[in-house]
Coordinates of all heavy atoms in Angstrom, one line a residue:
M1 N -13.1 -6.3 -5.2 CA -13.7 -5.4 -4.2 C -15.1 -5.6 -4.0 O -15.6 -5.6 -2.8 CB -13.5 -3.9 -4.7 CG -12.1 -3.4 -4.3 SD -12.0 -1.6 -4.6 CE -13.1 -1.3 -5.9
N2 N -15.9 -5.9 -5.0 CA -17.3 -6.2 -4.9 C -17.6 -7.4 -4.0 O -18.6 -7.5 -3.4 CB -18.0 -6.3 -6.2 CG -18.0 -5.0 -7.0 OD1 -17.9 -3.9 -6.4 ND2 -18.0 -5.1 -8.3
A3 N -16.6 -8.3 -3.9 CA -16.8 -9.5 -3.1 C -16.3 -9.3 -1.7 O -16.2 -10.2 -0.9 CB -16.0 -10.6 -3.8
G4 N -15.9 -8.0 -1.4 CA -15.4 -7.7 0.0 C -13.9 -7.9 0.2 O -13.5 -7.8 1.3
Y5 N -13.2 -8.1 -0.8 CA -11.7 -8.3 -0.7 C -11.0 -7.0 -0.5 O -11.5 -5.9 -1.0 CB -11.1 -9.0 -1.9 CG -11.6 -10.4 -2.1 CD1 -12.3 -10.8 -3.2 CD2 -11.3 -11.4 -1.2 CE1 -12.8 -12.1 -3.4 CE2 -11.7 -12.7 -1.3 CZ -12.5 -13.0 -2.4 OH -12.9 -14.3 -2.6
F6 N -9.9 -7.0 0.1 CA -9.0 -5.9 0.2 C -8.0 -6.0 -0.9 O -7.7 -7.1 -1.4 CB -8.2 -5.9 1.5 CG -9.1 -5.7 2.7 CD1 -9.6 -6.7 3.4 CD2 -9.3 -4.4 3.1 CE1 -10.4 -6.4 4.5 CE2 -10.1 -4.1 4.2 CZ -10.7 -5.1 4.9
I7 N -7.4 -4.9 -1.4 CA -6.4 -4.8 -2.4 C -5.1 -4.3 -1.7 O -5.1 -3.3 -1.1 CB -6.8 -3.9 -3.6 CG1 -8.2 -4.2 -4.1 CG2 -5.7 -3.9 -4.6 CD1 -8.3 -5.6 -4.7
S8 N -4.0 -5.1 -1.9 CA -2.8 -4.7 -1.3 C -1.8 -4.1 -2.3 O -1.6 -4.5 -3.4 CB -2.1 -6.0 -0.7 OG -1.0 -5.6 0.1
L9 N -1.2 -2.9 -1.8 CA -0.3 -2.2 -2.7 C 1.1 -2.4 -2.1 O 1.3 -2.4 -0.9 CB -0.7 -0.7 -2.7 CG -2.1 -0.4 -3.3 CD1 -2.4 1.0 -3.1 CD2 -2.1 -0.8 -4.8
T10 N 2.1 -2.5 -3.0 CA 3.5 -2.8 -2.7 C 4.3 -1.5 -3.0 O 3.8 -0.5 -3.5 CB 4.0 -4.0 -3.6 OG1 4.1 -3.6 -4.9 CG2 3.1 -5.2 -3.4
P11 N 5.6 -1.6 -2.8 CA 6.4 -0.4 -3.1 C 6.3 0.0 -4.6 O 6.7 1.2 -4.9 CB 7.9 -0.9 -2.8 CG 7.6 -1.8 -1.7 CD 6.4 -2.6 -2.0
E12 N 5.9 -0.8 -5.5 CA 5.7 -0.4 -6.9 C 4.8 0.8 -7.1 O 4.8 1.5 -8.1 CB 5.2 -1.6 -7.7 CG 6.3 -2.6 -7.9 CD 5.8 -4.0 -8.4 OE1 4.7 -4.4 -8.1 OE2 6.6 -4.6 -9.1
V13 N 3.9 1.1 -6.1 CA 3.0 2.2 -6.1 C 3.8 3.5 -6.2 O 3.2 4.5 -6.6 CB 2.0 2.2 -5.0 CG1 2.6 2.5 -3.6 CG2 0.8 3.0 -5.2
A14 N 5.0 3.5 -5.8 CA 5.8 4.7 -5.8 C 6.3 5.1 -7.2 O 6.7 6.2 -7.4 CB 7.0 4.6 -4.8
Y15 N 6.3 4.1 -8.1 CA 6.9 4.4 -9.4 C 6.2 3.7 -10.6 O 6.5 4.1 -11.8 CB 8.4 4.0 -9.4 CG 8.7 2.5 -9.2 CD1 8.7 1.6 -10.3 CD2 8.9 2.0 -7.9 CE1 8.9 0.3 -10.1 CE2 9.1 0.7 -7.7 CZ 9.1 -0.2 -8.8 OH 9.4 -1.5 -8.6
R16 N 5.4 2.8 -10.4 CA 4.8 2.1 -11.6 C 3.4 2.6 -11.8 O 2.5 2.6 -10.9 CB 4.8 0.6 -11.4 CG 4.4 -0.2 -12.7 CD 4.7 -1.6 -12.7 NE 3.9 -2.3 -11.7 CZ 4.0 -3.6 -11.5 NH1 4.9 -4.3 -12.2 NH2 3.3 -4.2 -10.6
E17 N 3.1 3.1 -13.0 CA 1.9 3.8 -13.3 C 0.6 3.0 -13.0 O -0.4 3.5 -12.5 CB 1.9 4.4 -14.7 CG 0.9 5.5 -14.9 CD 1.0 6.7 -13.9 OE1 2.2 7.1 -13.6 OE2 0.0 7.2 -13.4
R18 N 0.6 1.7 -13.4 CA -0.6 0.9 -13.2 C -0.9 0.8 -11.7 O -2.1 0.8 -11.3 CB -0.5 -0.4 -13.8 CG 0.4 -1.4 -13.1 CD 0.3 -2.8 -13.7 NE 1.0 -3.7 -12.9 CZ 1.2 -4.9 -13.1 NH1 0.8 -5.4 -14.3 NH2 1.9 -5.7 -12.3
D19 N 0.1 0.7 -10.8 CA -0.1 0.7 -9.4 C -0.6 2.0 -8.9 O -1.4 2.1 -7.9 CB 1.2 0.2 -8.7 CG 1.5 -1.2 -9.1 OD1 2.1 -1.4 -10.2 OD2 1.3 -2.1 -8.3
R20 N 0.0 3.1 -9.4 CA -0.4 4.4 -9.0 C -1.9 4.7 -9.4 O -2.6 5.3 -8.6 CB 0.5 5.5 -9.7 CG 2.0 5.3 -9.2 CD 3.0 6.1 -10.0 NE 2.9 7.5 -9.9 CZ 3.3 8.3 -9.0 NH1 4.0 7.7 -8.0 NH2 3.2 9.6 -9.0
D21 N -2.3 4.3 -10.6 CA -3.7 4.4 -11.0 C -4.6 3.7 -10.0 O -5.7 4.2 -9.6 CB -3.9 3.9 -12.4 CG -3.3 4.8 -13.4 OD1 -3.0 6.0 -13.2 OD2 -3.1 4.3 -14.6
L22 N -4.2 2.5 -9.6 CA -5.0 1.7 -8.7 C -5.1 2.4 -7.3 O -6.2 2.4 -6.7 CB -4.3 0.3 -8.5 CG -5.0 -0.8 -7.7 CD1 -6.4 -1.1 -8.3 CD2 -4.2 -2.0 -7.6
A23 N -4.0 3.0 -6.8 CA -4.0 3.7 -5.6 C -5.0 4.9 -5.6 O -5.6 5.2 -4.6 CB -2.6 4.2 -5.2
R24 N -5.1 5.5 -6.7 CA -6.0 6.6 -6.9 C -7.5 6.2 -6.9 O -8.3 6.9 -6.4 CB -5.7 7.4 -8.1 CG -4.4 8.2 -8.1 CD -4.2 9.0 -9.4 NE -2.9 9.5 -9.6 CZ -1.9 8.9 -10.3 NH1 -2.2 7.9 -11.1 NH2 -0.7 9.5 -10.4
M25 N -7.8 5.0 -7.5 CA -9.2 4.7 -7.6 C -9.8 3.8 -6.5 O -11.0 3.8 -6.4 CB -9.3 3.9 -9.0 CG -8.7 2.6 -9.0 SD -9.1 1.7 -10.5 CE -10.3 0.5 -9.9
L26 N -8.9 3.2 -5.7 CA -9.5 2.3 -4.7 C -10.1 3.1 -3.5 O -9.5 4.1 -3.2 CB -8.3 1.4 -4.1 CG -7.8 0.3 -5.0 CD1 -6.5 -0.3 -4.3 CD2 -8.8 -0.7 -5.2
P27 N -11.2 2.6 -3.0 CA -11.7 3.3 -1.8 C -10.7 3.0 -0.6 O -10.1 1.9 -0.5 CB -13.0 2.7 -1.5 CG -13.2 1.5 -2.4 CD -12.0 1.6 -3.4
A28 N -10.5 4.0 0.2 CA -9.5 3.9 1.3 C -9.8 2.7 2.2 O -8.9 2.1 2.8 CB -9.5 5.2 2.2
N29 N -11.1 2.3 2.4 CA -11.4 1.2 3.2 C -11.2 -0.2 2.6 O -11.6 -1.2 3.2 CB -12.8 1.3 3.8 CG -13.9 1.1 2.7 OD1 -13.6 1.1 1.5 ND2 -15.1 0.9 3.1
R30 N -10.5 -0.2 1.5 CA -10.2 -1.5 0.8 C -8.7 -1.7 0.6 O -8.3 -2.7 0.0 CB -10.9 -1.6 -0.6 CG -12.4 -1.6 -0.5 CD -12.9 -3.0 -0.1 NE -13.3 -3.0 1.2 CZ -13.5 -4.0 2.0 NH1 -13.3 -5.2 1.6 NH2 -13.9 -3.9 3.2
I31 N -7.9 -0.7 1.0 CA -6.4 -0.7 0.7 C -5.7 -1.4 1.9 O -5.9 -1.0 3.1 CB -5.9 0.7 0.5 CG1 -6.6 1.3 -0.7 CG2 -4.4 0.6 0.3 CD1 -6.2 2.8 -0.9
L32 N -4.8 -2.3 1.5 CA -3.7 -2.8 2.5 C -2.4 -2.4 1.9 O -2.3 -2.1 0.7 CB -3.8 -4.3 2.6 CG -5.1 -4.9 3.2 CD1 -5.1 -6.4 3.2 CD2 -5.2 -4.4 4.7
V33 N -1.3 -2.5 2.7 CA 0.0 -2.2 2.2 C 0.9 -3.4 2.6 O 0.7 -4.0 3.6 CB 0.6 -0.9 2.7 CG1 -0.2 0.3 2.1 CG2 0.5 -0.8 4.2
E34 N 1.9 -3.6 1.7 CA 2.9 -4.7 2.0 C 4.2 -4.5 1.2 O 4.2 -3.6 0.4 CB 2.3 -6.1 1.6 CG 2.0 -6.1 0.0 CD 1.6 -7.5 -0.4 OE1 2.4 -8.4 -0.2 OE2 0.5 -7.6 -1.0
T35 N 5.2 -5.3 1.6 CA 6.4 -5.2 0.8 C 6.6 -6.3 -0.1 O 7.4 -6.3 -1.1 CB 7.6 -5.2 1.8 OG1 7.6 -6.4 2.5 CG2 7.6 -4.0 2.7
D36 N 5.9 -7.4 0.1 CA 5.9 -8.6 -0.8 C 7.4 -9.1 -0.9 O 7.8 -9.6 -1.9 CB 5.4 -8.3 -2.2 CG 5.1 -9.6 -3.0 OD1 4.8 -10.6 -2.4 OD2 5.1 -9.5 -4.2
G37 N 8.1 -9.0 0.2 CA 9.5 -9.4 0.2 C 9.7 -10.9 0.0 O 8.8 -11.6 0.4
P38 N 10.7 -11.4 -0.6 CA 11.9 -10.6 -0.9 C 12.0 -10.1 -2.4 O 13.0 -10.1 -3.0 CB 13.0 -11.7 -0.7 CG 12.4 -13.0 -1.1 CD 10.9 -12.8 -0.6
W39 N 10.8 -9.9 -2.9 CA 10.8 -9.4 -4.3 C 11.6 -8.2 -4.5 O 11.6 -7.2 -3.7 CB 9.3 -9.0 -4.7 CG 9.1 -8.6 -6.1 CD1 9.0 -7.3 -6.5 CD2 9.0 -9.5 -7.2 NE1 8.8 -7.3 -7.9 CE2 8.8 -8.7 -8.3 CE3 9.0 -10.8 -7.4 CZ2 8.6 -9.2 -9.6 CZ3 8.8 -11.3 -8.6 CH2 8.6 -10.5 -9.7
P40 N 12.5 -8.1 -5.6 CA 13.3 -6.9 -5.8 C 12.5 -5.9 -6.5 O 11.7 -6.2 -7.5 CB 14.4 -7.5 -6.7 CG 13.8 -8.6 -7.4 CD 12.8 -9.2 -6.5
Y41 N 12.6 -4.6 -6.1 CA 11.9 -3.5 -6.7 C 12.8 -2.6 -7.5 O 14.0 -2.6 -7.3 CB 11.1 -2.7 -5.6 CG 10.0 -3.5 -5.1 CD1 10.1 -4.2 -3.8 CD2 8.8 -3.7 -5.8 CE1 9.1 -4.9 -3.3 CE2 7.8 -4.5 -5.2 CZ 7.9 -5.1 -4.0 OH 6.9 -5.8 -3.5
G42 N 12.2 -1.8 -8.4 CA 12.9 -0.8 -9.2 C 12.7 0.5 -8.6 O 12.5 0.7 -7.4
G43 N 12.7 1.5 -9.4 CA 12.5 2.9 -9.0 C 13.5 3.3 -7.9 O 14.7 2.8 -7.9
Q44 N 13.1 4.0 -6.9 CA 14.0 4.4 -5.8 C 14.4 3.3 -4.9 O 15.3 3.4 -4.1 CB 13.4 5.5 -5.0 CG 12.2 5.1 -4.1 CD 10.9 5.4 -4.7 OE1 10.7 5.3 -5.9 NE2 9.9 5.9 -3.9
F45 N 13.8 2.1 -5.1 CA 14.2 0.9 -4.3 C 15.2 0.0 -5.0 O 15.6 -1.0 -4.4 CB 12.9 0.1 -4.0 CG 11.8 1.0 -3.4 CD1 10.7 1.3 -4.1 CD2 11.9 1.4 -2.1 CE1 9.7 2.1 -3.6 CE2 11.0 2.2 -1.5 CZ 9.8 2.5 -2.3
A46 N 15.6 0.3 -6.2 CA 16.5 -0.5 -7.0 C 17.8 -0.8 -6.2 O 18.3 0.1 -5.6 CB 16.8 0.1 -8.3
G47 N 18.2 -2.0 -6.1 CA 19.4 -2.4 -5.4 C 19.2 -2.6 -3.9 O 20.2 -2.9 -3.2
R48 N 18.1 -2.2 -3.3 CA 17.8 -2.4 -1.9 C 17.2 -3.7 -1.6 O 16.4 -4.2 -2.4 CB 16.9 -1.3 -1.4 CG 17.5 0.1 -1.3 CD 16.5 1.2 -0.8 NE 15.8 0.8 0.4 CZ 14.8 1.6 0.8 NH1 14.4 2.6 0.1 NH2 14.1 1.2 1.9
L49 N 17.5 -4.3 -0.5 CA 16.8 -5.5 0.0 C 15.4 -5.0 0.4 O 15.2 -4.0 1.0 CB 17.6 -6.1 1.2 CG 18.9 -6.7 0.9 CD1 19.5 -7.2 2.2 CD2 18.7 -7.9 -0.1
T50 N 14.5 -5.9 0.1 CA 13.1 -5.6 0.5 C 13.0 -5.8 2.0 O 13.4 -6.9 2.5 CB 12.1 -6.5 -0.2 OG1 12.3 -6.3 -1.6 CG2 10.7 -6.2 0.1
E51 N 12.4 -4.9 2.7 CA 12.3 -5.0 4.2 C 11.0 -4.3 4.6 O 10.4 -3.5 3.9 CB 13.5 -4.3 4.8 CG 13.6 -2.9 4.5 CD 14.8 -2.2 5.2 OE1 15.2 -2.7 6.3 OE2 15.3 -1.2 4.7
P52 N 10.5 -4.7 5.8 CA 9.2 -4.1 6.3 C 9.2 -2.6 6.4 O 8.2 -1.9 6.2 CB 9.1 -4.7 7.7 CG 9.8 -6.0 7.6 CD 10.9 -5.8 6.7
A53 N 10.4 -2.0 6.6 CA 10.5 -0.5 6.7 C 10.0 0.2 5.4 O 9.6 1.4 5.5 CB 11.9 -0.1 7.0
M54 N 10.0 -0.5 4.3 CA 9.5 0.1 3.1 C 8.0 0.4 3.1 O 7.5 1.2 2.3 CB 9.7 -0.8 1.9 CG 11.2 -0.9 1.5 SD 11.3 -2.1 0.1 CE 13.0 -1.9 -0.3
I55 N 7.3 -0.1 4.1 CA 5.9 0.2 4.3 C 5.6 1.7 4.4 O 4.7 2.2 3.8 CB 5.3 -0.6 5.5 CG1 5.3 -2.1 5.2 CG2 3.9 -0.1 5.8 CD1 4.3 -2.5 4.1
K56 N 6.5 2.4 5.1 CA 6.4 3.8 5.2 C 6.4 4.5 3.8 O 5.7 5.5 3.6 CB 7.5 4.4 6.1 CG 7.4 4.0 7.5 CD 8.5 4.6 8.3 CE 8.4 4.3 9.8 NZ 9.5 4.8 10.6
D57 N 7.3 4.0 2.9 CA 7.4 4.6 1.6 C 6.1 4.3 0.8 O 5.7 5.1 0.0 CB 8.6 4.0 0.8 CG 9.9 4.4 1.5 OD1 10.1 5.5 1.8 OD2 10.7 3.4 1.7
V58 N 5.5 3.1 1.0 CA 4.3 2.8 0.3 C 3.1 3.7 0.8 O 2.4 4.3 0.0 CB 3.9 1.3 0.6 CG1 2.5 1.0 0.0 CG2 5.0 0.4 0.0
V59 N 3.0 3.9 2.1 CA 2.0 4.8 2.7 C 2.2 6.2 2.2 O 1.3 6.9 1.8 CB 2.0 4.7 4.2 CG1 1.1 5.8 4.8 CG2 1.5 3.3 4.7
A60 N 3.4 6.7 2.2 CA 3.7 8.0 1.7 C 3.3 8.2 0.2 O 2.8 9.2 -0.1 CB 5.2 8.3 1.9
A61 N 3.6 7.2 -0.6 CA 3.3 7.3 -2.0 C 1.8 7.3 -2.2 O 1.3 8.1 -3.0 CB 3.9 6.1 -2.8
I62 N 1.1 6.5 -1.5 CA -0.4 6.5 -1.6 C -1.0 7.8 -1.1 O -1.9 8.4 -1.8 CB -1.0 5.3 -0.8 CG1 -0.6 4.0 -1.4 CG2 -2.5 5.4 -0.7 CD1 -0.8 2.8 -0.5
A63 N -0.5 8.3 0.0 CA -0.9 9.6 0.5 C -0.7 10.7 -0.5 O -1.6 11.5 -0.8 CB -0.2 10.0 1.8
H64 N 0.4 10.7 -1.2 CA 0.7 11.7 -2.2 C -0.3 11.6 -3.4 O -0.8 12.6 -3.8 CB 2.2 11.6 -2.7 CG 2.5 12.5 -3.8 ND1 2.7 13.8 -3.7 CD2 2.6 12.2 -5.1 CE1 3.0 14.4 -4.8 NE2 2.9 13.4 -5.7
L65 N -0.5 10.4 -3.8 CA -1.3 10.2 -5.0 C -2.8 10.5 -4.7 O -3.5 10.9 -5.6 CB -1.2 8.7 -5.4 CG 0.1 8.3 -6.0 CD1 0.2 6.8 -6.1 CD2 0.3 8.9 -7.4
R66 N -3.2 10.4 -3.5 CA -4.6 10.6 -3.1 C -4.8 12.0 -2.5 O -5.9 12.3 -2.0 CB -5.0 9.6 -2.1 CG -5.1 8.2 -2.8 CD -5.4 7.1 -1.7 NE -6.7 7.2 -1.2 CZ -7.8 6.6 -1.7 NH1 -7.7 5.8 -2.8 NH2 -9.0 6.8 -1.2
C67 N -3.7 12.8 -2.4 CA -3.8 14.2 -1.8 C -4.3 14.0 -0.4 O -5.2 14.8 0.1 CB -4.7 15.1 -2.6 SG -4.0 15.4 -4.3
A68 N -3.8 13.1 0.3 CA -4.1 12.8 1.7 C -2.8 13.0 2.6 O -1.7 13.1 2.0 CB -4.7 11.4 1.9
T69 N -3.0 12.9 3.9 CA -1.8 12.9 4.7 C -1.3 11.5 4.9 O -2.1 10.5 4.8 CB -2.1 13.6 6.1 OG1 -3.0 12.7 6.8 CG2 -2.7 15.0 5.9
F70 N -0.1 11.4 5.3 CA 0.5 10.2 5.7 C -0.3 9.5 6.8 O -0.6 8.3 6.8 CB 2.0 10.4 6.1 CG 2.7 9.1 6.5 CD1 3.4 8.4 5.6 CD2 2.6 8.6 7.8 CE1 4.1 7.2 6.0 CE2 3.2 7.5 8.2 CZ 3.9 6.7 7.3
E71 N -0.7 10.3 7.8 CA -1.4 9.8 8.9 C -2.8 9.3 8.5 O -3.2 8.3 9.1 CB -1.6 11.0 10.0 CG -0.3 11.3 10.6 CD 0.6 12.3 9.8 OE1 0.2 12.8 8.8 OE2 1.8 12.4 10.2
E72 N -3.5 9.9 7.6 CA -4.8 9.4 7.1 C -4.7 8.1 6.5 O -5.5 7.2 6.8 CB -5.4 10.4 6.1 CG -5.9 11.7 6.8 CD -6.3 12.8 5.8 OE1 -5.7 12.8 4.7 OE2 -7.2 13.6 6.1
I73 N -3.7 7.9 5.6 CA -3.5 6.6 4.9 C -3.0 5.6 5.9 O -3.5 4.4 5.9 CB -2.5 6.8 3.7 CG1 -3.1 7.8 2.7 CG2 -2.3 5.4 3.1 CD1 -4.5 7.4 2.2
A74 N -2.1 5.9 6.8 CA -1.6 5.0 7.8 C -2.8 4.5 8.7 O -2.9 3.3 9.0 CB -0.5 5.6 8.7
A75 N -3.7 5.4 9.1 CA -4.8 5.0 9.9 C -5.8 4.1 9.2 O -6.3 3.1 9.7 CB -5.5 6.3 10.4
A76 N -6.0 4.5 7.9 CA -7.0 3.7 7.1 C -6.4 2.3 6.9 O -7.1 1.3 7.0 CB -7.2 4.4 5.8
T77 N -5.2 2.2 6.5 CA -4.6 0.8 6.2 C -4.4 0.0 7.5 O -4.6 -1.2 7.4 CB -3.3 0.9 5.4 OG1 -2.4 1.8 6.1 CG2 -3.5 1.5 4.0
T78 N -4.2 0.7 8.6 CA -4.1 -0.1 9.9 C -5.5 -0.6 10.2 O -5.6 -1.8 10.6 CB -3.5 0.9 11.0 OG1 -2.2 1.2 10.6 CG2 -3.5 0.1 12.3
A79 N -6.5 0.2 10.1 CA -7.9 -0.2 10.4 C -8.3 -1.4 9.5 O -8.9 -2.3 9.9 CB -8.8 0.9 10.2
N80 N -7.9 -1.3 8.2 CA -8.2 -2.4 7.2 C -7.5 -3.7 7.6 O -8.1 -4.7 7.6 CB -7.8 -1.9 5.8 CG -8.6 -0.8 5.3 OD1 -9.6 -0.4 5.9 ND2 -8.0 -0.1 4.3
A81 N -6.2 -3.6 8.0 CA -5.5 -4.8 8.4 C -6.2 -5.4 9.7 O -6.3 -6.6 9.8 CB -4.0 -4.5 8.7
R82 N -6.5 -4.5 10.6 CA -7.2 -5.0 11.8 C -8.5 -5.7 11.5 O -8.8 -6.8 12.0 CB -7.4 -3.9 12.8 CG -6.2 -3.5 13.5 CD -6.5 -2.4 14.6 NE -5.2 -2.2 15.3 CZ -4.8 -1.0 15.7 NH1 -5.6 0.1 15.4 NH2 -3.7 -0.8 16.3
A83 N -9.3 -5.1 10.6 CA -10.6 -5.7 10.2 C -10.3 -7.1 9.5 O -11.0 -8.1 9.8 CB -11.3 -4.8 9.2
L84 N -9.4 -7.1 8.6 CA -9.1 -8.4 7.9 C -8.7 -9.5 8.8 O -9.2 -10.6 8.7 CB -8.0 -8.2 6.8 CG -7.5 -9.4 6.1 CD1 -8.6 -10.0 5.2 CD2 -6.3 -9.1 5.2
F85 N -7.8 -9.2 9.8 CA -7.3 -10.2 10.7 C -8.0 -10.4 12.0 O -7.6 -11.1 12.9 CB -5.8 -10.0 10.9 CG -5.0 -10.2 9.7 CD1 -4.4 -9.0 9.0 CD2 -4.8 -11.4 9.1 CE1 -3.6 -9.2 7.9 CE2 -4.0 -11.6 8.0 CZ -3.5 -10.4 7.3
G86 N -9.1 -9.6 12.1 CA -9.9 -9.7 13.4 C -9.2 -9.2 14.6 O -9.4 -9.7 15.7
I87 N -8.4 -8.2 14.5 CA -7.6 -7.6 15.6 C -8.4 -6.5 16.2 O -8.7 -5.5 15.5 CB -6.2 -7.1 15.1 CG1 -5.4 -8.3 14.5 CG2 -5.4 -6.5 16.3 CD1 -4.1 -7.9 13.8
R88 N -8.6 -6.6 17.5 CA -9.3 -5.5 18.2 C -8.3 -4.6 18.8 O -7.3 -5.1 19.3 CB -10.3 -6.0 19.2 CG -11.4 -6.8 18.5 CD -12.3 -7.4 19.6 NE -13.1 -8.4 19.0 CZ -14.4 -8.3 18.9 NH1 -15.0 -7.2 19.3 NH2 -15.1 -9.2 18.3
E89 N -8.6 -3.3 19.0 CA -7.6 -2.4 19.6 C -7.5 -2.7 21.1 O -8.3 -3.2 21.8 CB -8.1 -1.0 19.4 CG -7.8 -0.5 18.0 CD -8.0 1.0 17.8 OE1 -7.5 1.7 18.6 OE2 -8.7 1.3 16.9

């Protein structure tokens, strides 16, 4: 983070404690979300194929952990992705 990098969280943030701790401590302007497919996940994702739709679950888990709304985390991670890839609105 000190070098200006973003940190990407995967569906593991919904059930793995080290990922949950990371979601709580990262500044919102450094978080990205991904599925890292086709990696198989555990927790509530066990037995499911990894797909982009899981991003909603990742955002929801981060929002819950940070006592934020889904919309706040979705907006922050969207802005972060746009900044990283140089996408203008």
Side-chain angles (χ1 to χ4, degrees):
M1 275 188 335
N2 292 336
Y5 294 116
F6 291 95
I7 308 298
S8 188
L9 299 171
T10 69
E12 291 166 325
V13 74
Y15 62 89
R16 190 163 68 178
E17 200 55 41
R18 73 173 191 187
D19 296 77
R20 296 168 66 83
D21 290 342
L22 188 59
R24 289 182 193 103
M25 68 173 259
L26 290 171
N29 69 345
R30 296 282 103 199
I31 299 173
L32 295 173
V33 292
E34 64 172 300
T35 59
D36 196 26
W39 183 260
Y41 291 102
Q44 71 260 39
F45 307 106
R48 284 177 52 190
L49 291 175
T50 304
E51 61 180 336
M54 287 180 175
I55 291 295
K56 289 181 182 179
D57 297 309
V58 176
V59 171
I62 296 167
H64 174 75
L65 292 165
R66 296 175 65 91
C67 298
T69 67
F70 180 93
E71 291 78 13
E72 289 170 328
I73 300 303
T77 55
T78 298
N80 296 342
R82 285 185 172 138
L84 176 65
F85 294 109
I87 299 170
R88 298 178 192 247
E89 285 190 50

